[in-house]
Amino acid sequence: TQLLEQSPQFLSIQEGENLTVYCNSSSVFSSLQWYRQEPGEGPVLLVTVVTGGEVKKLKRLTFQFGDARKDSSLHITAAQPGDTGLYLCAVGYSGGYQKVTFGTGTKLQVIP
Amino acid sequence: SAVISQKPSRDICQRGTSLTIQCQVDSQVTMMFWYRQQPGQSLTLIATANQGSEATYESGFVIDKFPISRPNLTFSTLTVSNMSPEDSSIYLCSVEIPQRYSGANVLTFGAGSRLTVL
């Protein structure tokens, strides 16, 4: 079983549409990270959410951490072709050595 | 944040051969992490490489198949031994960066090494 389940697994949308990606778990986390990976590159950190219920905005991307700190969502408004990539949620643990575990991933394609 | 260089960026290998991937970081780091990303999949941690000690392997990965070296604080290698087509993946090197406001450590990655085994 996966620690972090993402949905949907694949998403193909037209430019200008909105979308939401979900990251769910049965475990409670002190923080959660979102990364984006473009083809031919390694994942790049987008945001870290820490507080239950926290909402963070990064231009057209809105990230929310669930009240119980077990889940998170990523909402993209007016998607652009440049948003195309693999979106990964991930968790680690505060302080010292930690093993960052990644979610199952959501592959997004935005068609011009 | 740290800048990570990996090479080769891609390679096509024959079954039964071995390939060593190099990872160079532009600053000294305590731990380096090696991940595997199978086609269309997410990332799975292979092992953690500490300078001066043996690497720590995750469940399902063994030293004989994925030997790792960590000769200094800026460099590590991962060897994929006796390759089979099932080893065709992207192999990624990463280091952790402390994030003060969250208390969490986050990762920065190299661009990855895409291996195709025929």
Side-chain angles (χ1 to χ4, degrees):
Chain A
T1 56
Q2 290 283 340
L3 179 65
L4 296 169
E5 291 281 352
Q6 288 184 236
S7 62
Q9 188 176 2
F10 299 102
L11 196 54
S12 181
I13 61 171
Q14 295 291 326
E15 181 177 356
E17 292 184 357
N18 301 333
L19 66 116
T20 302
V21 176
Y22 299 93
C23 175
N24 295 297
S25 177
S26 57
S27 300
V28 177
F29 304 109
S30 58
S31 65
L32 185 144
Q33 306 155 21
W34 284 94
Y35 293 78
R36 178 171 64 207
Q37 183 181 23
E38 299 182 13
E41 300 293 329
V44 175
L45 179 71
L46 295 174
V47 77
T48 302
V49 286
V50 179
T51 306
E54 179 179 8
V55 176
K56 280 192 172 178
K57 292 193 174 183
L58 185 65
K59 297 183 179 178
R60 293 176 292 99
L61 279 61
T62 302
F63 304 85
Q64 184 162 9
F65 203 11
D67 290 342
R69 292 185 286 121
K70 293 183 178 181
D71 52 78
S72 181
S73 64
L74 158 60
H75 182 80
I76 301 179
T77 303
Q80 303 294 312
D83 297 326
T84 293
L86 178 67
Y87 288 81
L88 297 158
C89 62
V91 292
Y93 301 93
S94 299
Y97 166 67
Q98 66 174 19
K99 179 176 67 176
V100 176
T101 301
F102 286 86
T104 50
T106 296
K107 190 167 185 178
L108 171 65
Q109 180 184 35
V110 182
I111 302 167
Chain B
S1 63
V3 177
I4 300 174
S5 302
Q6 270 188 248
K7 59 180 180 181
S9 57
R10 58 178 62 233
D11 207 341
I12 299 174
C13 307
Q14 295 298 320
R15 181 195 301 260
T17 63
S18 299
L19 182 77
T20 297
I21 302 166
Q22 299 180 9
C23 178
Q24 180 75 52
V25 188
D26 70 345
S27 58
Q28 293 185 341
V29 294
T30 304
M31 288 181 285
M32 296 174 74
F33 303 92
W34 287 98
Y35 282 84
R36 181 176 73 182
Q37 185 174 29
Q38 294 178 300
Q41 303 294 316
S42 183
L43 279 68
T44 301
L45 182 63
I46 298 172
T48 302
N50 286 321
Q51 194 269 334
S53 63
E54 283 197 3
T56 302
Y57 289 83
E58 297 300 310
S59 176
F61 298 97
V62 295
I63 188 171
D64 290 346
K65 176 66 175 177
F66 297 101
I68 287 172
S69 78
R70 184 77 201 274
N72 57 53
L73 291 174
T74 63
F75 187 78
S76 178
T77 67
L78 169 75
T79 299
V80 187
S81 303
N82 188 25
M83 287 185 285
S84 67
E86 292 70 35
D87 295 319
S88 297
S89 294
I90 300 172
Y91 293 86
L92 294 143
C93 171
S94 69
V95 301
E96 60 182 1
I97 302 170
Q99 193 177 60
R100 289 184 182 176
Y101 77 88
S102 71
N105 287 358
V106 298
L107 297 178
T108 188
F109 286 85
S113 300
R114 181 184 291 271
L115 266 55
T116 301
V117 184
L118 303 177

